[in-house]
Amino acid sequence: MSYNKALWAGIAFSVSTLVVGCAKQQTGGFTEIDHDKVAHTYQFRYQPRQLDRAALNAYITQRCVQQGFDKVDPLPEEAGTLPGYTTRWFQCNYKVKS
């Protein structure tokens, strides 16, 4: 029985890794992997050495502006679930005007 469980766990992991890896990668070397509509946040996955940060910043700024926001706050980077990848959340906000 334990062999069957291990086999199914391996198959499930392989399929989930394949599905996660199939997300559309943007031209700057990043992929949008999650979006929280309530918190107005977007999560991206990328390889730090291959990332075009200017392209990522332009993309997330455009997404926030489309929703009526005028500021983007990057949250801390985290180690990704895929080896060699990093993930980061960005939150759309409003600038404080005095």
Side-chain angles (χ1 to χ4, degrees):
M1 286 281 271
S2 65
Y3 175 74
N4 286 339
K5 288 181 182 178
L7 178 64
W8 282 109
I11 291 171
F13 177 76
S14 298
V15 169
S16 65
T17 302
L18 179 63
V19 170
V20 168
C22 290
K24 181 182 176 191
Q25 185 173 24
Q26 302 295 325
T27 56
F30 56 90
T31 304
E32 182 180 326
I33 58 173
D34 200 2
H35 173 215
D36 184 340
K37 294 179 182 180
V38 175
H40 306 291
T41 57
Y42 293 88
Q43 185 181 31
F44 294 89
R45 177 181 60 230
Y46 51 85
Q47 291 179 310
R49 292 183 183 161
Q50 297 177 355
L51 176 65
D52 180 350
R53 291 193 186 273
L56 175 59
N57 290 337
Y59 181 83
I60 187 61
T61 299
Q62 177 188 19
R63 294 296 301 259
C64 289
V65 167
Q66 288 174 346
Q67 293 184 20
F69 295 97
D70 58 359
K71 181 181 175 191
V72 178
D73 290 322
L75 302 175
E77 289 183 331
E78 300 174 354
T81 55
L82 297 175
Y85 284 86
T86 299
T87 61
R88 175 173 256 180
W89 285 92
F90 293 85
Q91 185 172 33
C92 302
N93 286 309
Y94 298 106
K95 291 180 184 175
V96 176
K97 298 178 183 178
S98 53

